[in-house]
Amino acid sequence: MKRAFDLFFSAVGLCFAAPLLLILSAVVKLDSKGPVFYRGLRVGRFGKEFRIFKFRTMVVDADKIGGPSSAANDPRITRVGRLLRRYKLDELPQLINVLKGEMSFVGPRPEVLQYVAMFSAEEEAILTVPPGITDWSSIWNSDEGSILARSSDPERTYLEEIRPEKIRLQLKYVRNHSFTTDMRILFQTFRVLLIKSKGVAQQDAENRGA
């Protein structure tokens, strides 16, 4: 049922989002030099590696300039990239990964090889389910960039403060996942995004009025 849901709604989502995807692709291309998509290497189910689809929000070769964790004020982020990240629009192309079966709508967020190599024997259970666009940890930490922006060492803050809780919530999902759980996570994700979007819009209006 999970795969059928993913296949159907990713196809429908891509069809309806096609005009927006085209517009955002053009904006990303015009804003800065480089490809439209970021195709970073991620680790999927059973340790199989795949290339994730995201709109590029950083300068070319950003991975050679800094680490995998990025704060909201990271100088590597482009002007348009900040806007895309703010509204989570850079995540839309991951519908392609879901359609291909590399990801699911719900599941632990796929990590880079560097962080997966740090998994303990217990944490390797995270790789027994398909990675997803959202999960309990995504709801808990919906604005990671802003948290890291307040740190003088974003990489250390991620490893010491964010990653432990993220791992705990991902293991919680692995131990108790079901189609019903997935629907709850999707509902709560949309709720968090709606609240966040309203907050961002209100803040922008206040900034313009200041």
Side-chain angles (χ1 to χ4, degrees):
M1 184 181 292
K2 182 181 178 75
R3 179 56 189 153
F5 178 91
D6 287 341
L7 189 62
F8 178 77
F9 282 100
S10 61
V12 171
L14 284 169
C15 288
F16 278 97
L20 177 60
L21 291 172
L22 288 173
I23 292 172
L24 293 179
S25 295
V27 171
V28 170
K29 193 66 178 178
L30 292 171
D31 179 62
S32 63
K33 179 182 178 181
V36 169
F37 295 117
Y38 166 71
R39 299 299 316 280
L41 195 62
R42 296 291 186 272
V43 180
R45 193 179 190 188
F46 303 132
K48 184 177 180 180
E49 298 174 7
F50 70 97
R51 295 280 178 181
I52 198 169
F53 277 94
K54 295 179 72 173
F55 280 121
R56 180 178 57 82
T57 59
M58 287 187 166
V59 297
V60 176
D61 294 329
D63 56 330
K64 298 178 182 178
I65 304 172
S69 297
S70 56
N73 59 353
D74 194 309
R76 296 175 296 172
I77 302 176
T78 63
R79 182 179 55 181
V80 167
R82 294 187 192 283
L83 181 64
L84 294 179
R85 286 186 173 212
R86 200 170 191 183
Y87 291 97
K88 298 292 186 182
L89 293 173
D90 59 315
E91 309 280 355
L92 273 178
Q94 287 170 48
L95 289 172
I96 300 172
N97 292 115
V98 176
L99 186 64
K100 293 174 65 179
E102 297 166 332
M103 291 177 63
S104 175
F105 276 104
V106 180
R109 288 294 298 163
E111 282 285 20
V112 296
L113 279 68
Q114 175 183 334
Y115 291 153
V116 172
M118 299 168 63
F119 278 176
S120 66
E122 179 188 13
E123 292 166 357
E124 287 179 354
I126 292 170
L127 301 178
T128 63
V129 298
I133 294 177
T134 185
D135 67 342
W136 291 126
S137 67
S138 301
I139 297 170
W140 162 72
N141 188 24
S142 62
D143 198 5
E144 184 176 298
S146 294
I147 295 175
L148 296 178
R150 297 192 290 270
S151 171
S152 59
D153 189 345
E155 189 69 14
R156 182 175 181 179
T157 298
Y158 175 80
L159 292 174
E160 294 182 355
E161 299 180 21
I162 296 176
R163 185 175 181 273
E165 180 64 8
K166 185 177 180 180
I167 291 291
R168 187 189 73 79
L169 291 171
Q170 289 179 340
L171 286 172
K172 172 188 174 182
Y173 174 79
V174 170
R175 293 165 183 152
N176 302 285
H177 68 280
S178 66
F179 188 71
T180 301
T181 299
D182 284 4
M183 294 302 101
R184 286 177 57 200
I185 290 174
L186 283 174
F187 174 78
Q188 291 192 36
T189 297
F190 287 129
R191 181 172 176 271
V192 167
L193 288 176
L194 181 61
I195 293 173
K196 182 180 177 182
S197 295
K198 287 183 177 180
V200 169
Q202 183 178 359
Q203 182 181 3
D204 287 343
E206 291 174 352
N207 290 338
R208 286 194 297 269

